Amino acid sequence: MLMSIMEKGTDIAKAAEILRNGGLVAFPTETVYGLGANGLDPLAVARIYEVKQRPSFDPLILHIGKPEDMTGLFRNPDDPLILALSGAFWPGPLTIVAEKQAVVPGIVTSGMSTVAVRMPQNELAIQLIRTAGIPVAAPSANLFGKLSPTMPQHVQKQLKGVDYLLDGGKTSIGVESTIVSVSGNGITLLRPGAVTPEQLREAVPGAIITPYRAPETEDSGLAAPGLMKSHYSPEKPLYIFSKLPRQIKPGSGVIFFTEKGDAKSKAEETIVLSPSGNLLEAAANLFTALHDMENNPFVQRIFIEQIEERGIGVAIMDRMRKAAYRHSTGQQAD
Ligand code: AMP
Ligand code: MG
């Protein structure tokens, strides 16, 4: 595996200084690692696109260190829905999209009039953002369309040109934040994540909640890569199964949700996401397992077991379908 040379450590003061000076810092959040830049500096944000090799400018999430910091970013920070959602879920894995103020550069929002904002829960992330004293624009710290990073090594494997990598070990949630857009008395779920529709309903009982709709086509006209049908893909063919085929070819890697003893002997490598069947644990291990399979030179194709779509299971299956989209499901191929 080719690792790029990238300074790595836990020096928050140094990382914050780099951000203030227009540099790039990869840092852990509780969801996945982010590739951060000063969110109010268009040139710094432009470097994010360069390093990620994103083919187009797509909107980024602005990360803040205190809930009050949203007042400088949203046009109506006193909106009751925004207050209720941020009060209930920040710090945490919920991103709120709403009308922006003029200070937010167009490169952050892809020219849209709305901005996405989140206060993460990870202690290193909070300290970094507070020390830098600026909103930090950060998409996931991976190459465009590839697996999201849940460990510092995943960032080193994919990216070149990052000025500092803040090392916080493995991320705890492991799938990207839930994204909602807020307008009038309505909330629209744009991306499933650890915060579930049930939790949202409980936090804002009066609001009209439009459920998440998986994209119908490869390019369904939605502006953002995380919302496309194919995304988060490993370098090897990936197939989702409900029942593992009796005969699997040599060179197959198998990722199970819970323990499945007898298949172990047939596969090149097997990984169990959660022996006890805990969906939160499975989410935390999902991208790590896919990275491990991608790194194993003896694994040529990956099979992954489908899981129950309840709670964070909806987000896990959403990421799995996007990762497997380029390959037909349930079949073995070369
Ligand atoms: P990432 O940070 O890589 O997980 O991706 C950020 C995601 O935030 C994008 O894929 C979009 O889905 C979403 N996003 C950011 N800003 C907006 C916005 N103004 N409107 C809708 N979605 C947004
Ligand atoms: Mg991403």
Side-chain angles (χ1 to χ4, degrees):
M1 199 196 324
L2 214 90
M3 289 277 190
S4 61
I5 299 159
M6 184 183 297
E7 191 181 352
K8 186 174 82 163
T10 54
D11 189 340
I12 286 175
K14 178 173 184 162
E17 189 60 25
I18 291 172
L19 284 178
R20 270 199 303 270
N21 290 331
L24 293 186
V25 173
F27 65 98
T29 76
E30 71 277 25
T31 60
V32 301
Y33 272 74
L35 179 61
N38 179 350
L40 302 181
D41 175 353
L43 275 181
V45 175
R47 282 193 60 203
I48 292 178
Y49 291 100
E50 191 178 40
V51 165
K52 272 184 73 86
Q53 297 175 22
R54 262 192 184 176
S56 58
F57 293 122
D58 294 300
L60 306 176
I61 296 169
L62 286 182
H63 294 73
I64 54 176
K66 296 188 213 86
E68 309 88 86
D69 291 346
M70 71 174 166
T71 51
L73 305 172
F74 286 138
R75 198 173 69 195
N76 303 313
D78 296 331
D79 179 308
L81 268 185
I82 296 180
L83 287 175
L85 289 171
S86 58
F89 299 106
W90 286 357
L94 181 77
T95 297
I96 302 173
V97 173
E99 290 297 316
K100 77 177 185 76
Q101 287 197 22
V103 66
V104 178
I107 191 168
V108 169
T109 65
S110 297
M112 292 194 289
S113 64
T114 53
V115 63
V117 180
R118 171 166 107 85
M119 177 183 172
Q121 197 165 33
N122 179 290
E123 218 22 69
L124 280 178
I126 292 176
Q127 290 310 322
L128 173 69
I129 300 162
R130 286 187 185 167
T131 309
I134 43 171
V136 176
S140 48
N142 54 339
L143 285 174
F144 175 75
K146 304 294 183 198
L147 291 176
S148 294
T150 49
M151 311 231 290
Q153 297 89 299
H154 301 158
V155 181
Q156 288 171 297
K157 184 175 84 173
Q158 293 194 11
L159 299 186
K160 282 193 202 79
V162 178
D163 299 304
Y164 193 75
L165 167 58
L166 196 58
D167 185 350
K170 188 174 162 186
T171 61
S172 59
I173 291 179
V175 291
E176 296 81 354
S177 59
T178 301
I179 303 180
V180 293
S181 74
V182 171
S183 138
N185 194 31
I187 293 177
T188 305
L189 256 160
L190 297 178
R191 178 170 74 184
V195 172
T196 63
E198 294 72 37
Q199 289 173 301
L200 290 169
R201 216 162 287 134
E202 213 171 290
V204 283
I208 299 156
I209 301 183
T210 308
Y212 170 66
R213 270 188 51 229
E216 304 281 320
T217 60
E218 176 82 29
D219 175 13
S220 58
L222 290 164
L227 305 182
M228 294 194 315
K229 196 157 184 169
S230 172
H231 203 58
Y232 317 110
S233 297
E235 299 287 341
K236 298 170 183 176
L238 175 72
Y239 307 97
I240 301 170
F241 68 89
S242 54
K243 199 164 173 289
L244 194 66
R246 229 176 250 282
Q247 296 295 323
I248 56 166
K249 290 183 188 174
S252 299
V254 185
I255 302 173
F256 291 106
F257 172 35
T258 55
E259 195 72 56
K260 292 280 160 33
D262 65 330
K264 281 203 167 157
S265 54
K266 302 183 209 158
E268 211 66 57
E269 180 177 357
T270 57
I271 296 175
V272 175
L273 293 178
S274 171
S276 64
N278 179 325
L279 287 169
L280 288 173
E281 186 180 27
N285 290 328
L286 173 71
F287 281 116
T288 312
L290 288 169
H291 276 284
D292 287 351
M293 289 293 182
E294 192 175 82
N295 293 343
N296 184 333
F298 301 105
V299 170
Q300 290 156 28
R301 70 193 75 75
I302 311 163
F303 292 89
I304 187 162
E305 185 178 18
Q306 71 178 38
I307 58 152
E308 203 184 332
E309 291 191 68
R310 108 186 118 75
I312 199 172
V314 176
I316 301 175
M317 280 305 293
D318 175 67
R319 305 309 191 275
M320 277 204 259
R321 287 197 190 98
K322 285 175 178 162
Y325 179 69
R326 287 190 284 137
H327 320 286
S328 59
T329 54
Q331 288 173 20
Q332 290 192 58
D334 290 313

